[in-house]
Amino acid sequence: MIQLVTDRLRLRAFQLEDAEPMFDYAKDERVGPKAGWAPHQSVDETRDVIRLFQQDQDVWAITLKETGEVIGSLGLHDRRPDPEIQHDRQREIGYVLSPTYWGKGYIPEAVREVMRHGFEDLGLERIWCGHFDFNDQSRRVVEKTGFTYAFTTPQQLTRLDGRTVQSLIYVVTKETYEERLAQR
C-alpha cells in the first residue's frame, strides 16, 4: 500500500502494533456508531479489524507526521453506490477520527490527499463519500472537500443495532476535480 503525505499527516498501511492506539478511539461510543459499527470491546477485536485492513489493502492509518501517532483511519474502498454506472472506475471514501483530534481539519486534509491519489495516480473517474443522516461531522467534511450530493438511500445498520437510517451519498468526478484545481 502506497504511503501518502500531507502537511501534517502521514497515511500509511496499518500494522498490528497500531491496535492499542486504534482501540483507544474505536472503543469510544462517539466514533463507531456514526460509521455504522459498534464500539470495539477489546484490543483483540481491533487487531482482527487491522488484519482485515491489511488483507484488503484499502485502508490507511492516519498518523500525525510529527509524532507518528495513529489518530484515525481512511479507506478508499471498491464500492459502487450507483447501480446505473457500475462500469466507471470509482471508489468510495470512508473515514473515522479519534475524538481527541476532532475540529482540527485533519480529515478534510486526508480526504483531499486521497482524492488527489485516486484521480491522479489511480485514474479514477469518480469518488463517492457518504454519511448517515445523523452524522453532522461527516456532512461537514463532505462540504469542505467539494463533494456534490447525488442521492439518499435507506441503509440498515446491521453491525450496530439493526435500525434503518438514511445514507446520503455524494460524489466528485474527475472532471469536477480538475476544474477546481485549474481555478486555484
Side-chain angles (χ1 to χ4, degrees):
M1 176 171 233
I2 187 170
Q3 183 171 228
L4 302 173
V5 179
T6 70
D7 288 342
R8 302 179 296 165
L9 304 171
R10 180 168 281 113
L11 283 64
R12 61 162 175 79
F14 266 98
Q15 305 299 318
L16 287 179
E17 298 78 37
D18 298 326
E20 291 280 346
M22 182 179 172
F23 178 66
D24 284 345
Y25 66 81
K27 69 182 179 186
D28 192 306
E29 294 195 13
R30 297 171 292 172
V31 177
K34 289 186 178 186
W37 45 268
H40 291 194
Q41 299 300 306
S42 70
V43 175
D44 286 337
E45 180 181 357
T46 302
R47 276 191 199 93
D48 289 343
V49 170
I50 289 173
R51 286 184 185 98
L52 290 174
F53 291 167
Q54 291 172 327
Q55 178 182 344
D56 293 343
Q57 294 191 20
D58 64 357
V59 178
W60 287 271
I62 301 172
T63 67
L64 294 176
K65 195 192 270 186
E66 280 188 19
T67 65
E69 178 183 359
V70 175
I71 63 170
S73 63
L74 192 149
L76 190 59
H77 309 287
D78 189 9
R79 296 186 192 135
R80 299 160 191 272
D82 187 342
E84 301 296 317
I85 50 172
Q86 296 299 302
H87 62 281
D88 286 2
R89 292 179 47 91
Q90 56 189 308
R91 298 278 176 94
E92 182 179 6
I93 285 180
Y95 44 80
V96 297
L97 184 69
S98 168
T100 303
Y101 298 96
W102 287 356
K104 299 179 186 331
Y106 289 125
I107 289 296
E109 183 175 329
V111 166
R112 285 185 196 99
E113 176 57 18
V114 170
M115 286 173 61
R116 183 211 57 77
H117 171 65
F119 289 126
E120 296 178 15
D121 301 335
L122 301 180
L124 298 179
E125 296 173 73
R126 67 185 70 241
I127 297 176
W128 300 93
C129 188
H131 67 82
F132 299 128
D133 53 0
F134 58 84
N135 190 341
D136 287 334
Q137 289 164 309
S138 281
R139 179 187 48 79
R140 286 192 298 274
V141 169
V142 166
E143 291 168 353
K144 290 177 185 177
T145 53
F147 284 85
T148 302
Y149 173 79
F151 56 89
T152 298
T153 183
Q155 186 169 349
Q156 188 174 15
L157 298 180
T158 55
R159 294 185 298 164
L160 184 57
D161 56 15
R163 70 188 153 122
T164 299
V165 297
Q166 298 299 307
S167 185
L168 287 79
I169 308 297
Y170 302 78
V171 66
V172 171
T173 63
K174 183 172 187 170
E175 181 180 352
T176 302
Y177 171 80
E178 289 174 343
E179 287 171 3
R180 288 182 186 146
L181 277 183
Q183 293 172 358
R184 289 186 187 165

